[in-house]
Each structure stands twice: as structure tokens, then as C-alpha cells.
Amino acid sequence: MVEITEGVTFDTIAREWRCKWSEEGSKASLAAAQKALNSIISELKAVDGVKRVDRVVCGGCLDFKIVTSLGADKFGEWENASFAPETSFLKELKAIDGVTSVETQTYTLMEM
């Protein structure tokens, strides 16, 4: 367990990939984003130390997010590998018509 400051600890670090999708074309960009995820999900789940991979979709704000959670002790190895397959996945998202605001974020998680 890692302590950030007194009483604030964590055992999990997550990497989030996110974008906005469009409702145009019967939500074609959302369907394409899901298809892109499906093409790399096995590789993502096979990363050493992965605890879980979650997909978040918000129909109100049009968010599509992938959150990959690893044990804090294993995260650095994935980071050193450039979060593979992040580069190819984000490139694929950016090429989808109707997808905007492709971003990443790293943060800690702790079940309470």
C-alpha cells in the first residue's frame, strides 16, 4: 500500500483513455469506438498486473472511457511500455468520424 499523505493510501493505479462521441448517424462513432476496443481488449487484459478493465459510456455527456486498473506495484512496468496498446488504440479513436477530445489520465484508486 502506498501512502500519499497521512491517511490517504492506495493500492491501485488506473490509466483512463477517453473521448467524446456523436449521436449522428445512429451513434456510429460510439459503435466504432466499441469496435476499436473489442479489437484490443484481449491484449489489454493480458497486461501483467491488470486487475480489471472497465468501459464507461454516458449517453448524456457523450463520454466513452476505458479505465484499466493495475496493482500499484505493477503499474510502472506498463508505464515503461508506453501503456501498450495505448498509442494504436488512441490513433484508431482519433480516426473515427464524430469522435473528439481524445485524452488520457492516470490516477489512483482505493476501495473504501
Side-chain angles (χ1 to χ4, degrees):
M1 187 125 19
V2 179
E3 185 172 64
I4 298 172
T5 190
E6 184 178 342
V8 182
T9 59
F10 66 91
D11 61 1
T12 303
I13 304 176
R15 181 70 169 178
E16 180 179 286
W17 304 333
R18 63 179 175 256
C19 66
K20 297 287 187 180
W21 52 274
S22 169
E23 292 185 318
E24 294 176 12
S26 298
K27 303 176 186 167
S29 59
L30 175 59
Q34 181 64 50
K35 185 176 178 183
L37 173 60
N38 292 347
S39 74
I40 57 103
I41 193 68
S42 294
E43 181 181 357
L44 192 56
K45 287 183 173 183
V47 170
D48 187 30
V50 167
K51 292 182 170 186
R52 61 187 291 160
V53 177
D54 295 295
R55 187 206 64 216
V56 180
V57 175
C58 178
C61 60
L62 308 181
D63 282 337
F64 180 83
K65 301 178 180 185
I66 307 307
V67 181
T68 305
S69 303
L70 285 80
D73 60 331
K74 294 289 188 174
F75 188 82
E77 295 172 26
W78 190 39
E79 184 176 31
N80 289 338
S82 301
F83 304 111
E86 179 177 278
T87 301
S88 61
F89 178 70
L90 296 181
K91 183 178 179 181
E92 192 168 349
L93 281 182
K94 289 175 183 178
I96 297 170
D97 189 35
V99 166
T100 59
S101 303
V102 177
E103 300 174 331
T104 64
Q105 183 177 0
T106 298
Y107 44 78
T108 66
L109 296 172
M110 185 67 184
E111 187 173 337
M112 304 280 31

